[in-house]
Amino acid sequence: MAAIGLFRAFDPKVRRHLISDEGEVVIDEVRHHWVVFVVPMLEIALAAVLLVVMLWKNLGDAAYVLLALVLVLLGHAFWQFLTQHRDRFVVTNMRVMRIRGVFSQTVATTPIARILDITLQKPIVGRFLGYGHFVFESAAQDQGFREIRFVSRPDDRDLTIQRVIQRTGLRASASVDVVQSDDDDTDDDGTGPIGMDSAQEVTTTIPRHAPAASTRVASSSSKSIFNSERANWTDQDHEE
């Protein structure tokens, strides 16, 4: 319990980086999988063995060498623990952040809009132990988001990111942009065959004996006549 409380004291304090007045909330805070702590734990175990040997046997001057080695192993293991513990990948409803560093801290952020593609890599060992690596293809690769390694529950985290992207409506707005770009084509106004203006088509269907005034009215309201009122206009023309 004391160790847990000690590491919580070294938490990167993600909440202080949120834009709370704009309604930003944390969707997921990703810590590294426990596999990254295997090497530091082995170092601690080796240091413990050396310490026991040093206490139980009279090694003379060699004891100082072992003591120095024990301190180096413990110091390196503690540093690795802190480094991995403070490396967080955070997904909010507005952006993604990566916070890392022990003494000097680095906070890299990018909006959800800049994330283009996500590749989930799960090695053979990762499939058994439950971790994977995220590779982001985005405009934020130079900010530390190129690869997030040793992510626990990678499938759930991938779905979470996809849900955030869907809820922001980015893909839907991209589809709307494509449709709007098609509608801007001057050759097709959406009311007739491509390459034929509706006013020209309606004008060519006007009988030769129709009065000039009727022709002008038909040209001014050609789209409405062509779309839904052609039958009414034809009947009216015969009545005249």
Side-chain angles (χ1 to χ4, degrees), residues 129-149:
L129 298 181
Y131 70 84
H133 312 307
F134 282 153
V135 179
F136 290 88
E137 300 292 339
S138 67
Q141 294 180 6
D142 296 334
Q143 297 182 0
F145 292 101
R146 168 63 181 172
E147 189 174 10
I148 308 296
R149 297 179 60 81

Side-chain angles (χ1 to χ4, degrees), residues 179-197:
V179 174
Q180 289 178 349
S181 64
D182 292 340
D183 290 340
D184 292 338
D185 193 354
T186 56
D187 292 335
D188 184 12
D189 61 358
T191 59
I194 297 177
M196 179 182 295
D197 185 72

Side-chain angles (χ1 to χ4, degrees), residues 91-231:
V91 182
T92 73
N93 56 333
M94 297 180 181
R95 52 185 175 154
V96 293
M97 294 185 292
R98 188 177 185 183
I99 305 173
R100 52 183 174 173
V102 179
F103 295 113
S104 61
Q105 190 179 65
T106 301
V107 181
T109 64
T110 187
I112 294 292
R114 300 186 69 183
I115 298 179
L116 304 178
D117 297 302
I118 303 175
T119 302
L120 175 58
Q121 298 177 349
K122 292 191 292 184
I124 297 177
V125 179
R127 296 185 64 181
F128 286 102
L129 298 181
Y131 70 84
H133 312 307
F134 282 153
V135 179
F136 290 88
E137 300 292 339
S138 67
Q141 294 180 6
D142 296 334
Q143 297 182 0
F145 292 101
R146 168 63 181 172
E147 189 174 10
I148 308 296
R149 297 179 60 81
F150 299 106
V151 177
S152 59
R153 296 186 291 113
D155 293 327
D156 295 338
R157 263 58 194 266
D158 183 43
L159 290 176
T160 298
I161 297 175
Q162 297 298 333
R163 289 190 185 99
V164 173
I165 295 176
Q166 290 287 352
R167 289 174 183 176
T168 55
L170 297 178
R171 296 176 181 174
S173 49
S175 301
V176 172
D177 293 339
V178 173
V179 174
Q180 289 178 349
S181 64
D182 292 340
D183 290 340
D184 292 338
D185 193 354
T186 56
D187 292 335
D188 184 12
D189 61 358
T191 59
I194 297 177
M196 179 182 295
D197 185 72
S198 59
Q200 296 177 356
E201 183 178 352
V202 172
T203 304
T204 56
T205 58
I206 300 176
R208 297 183 180 274
H209 63 276
S214 300
T215 304
R216 288 195 298 270
V217 172
S219 300
S220 62
S221 59
S222 57
K223 289 189 177 181
S224 62
I225 293 173
F226 182 81
N227 289 334
S228 60
E229 298 179 2
R230 171 180 285 190

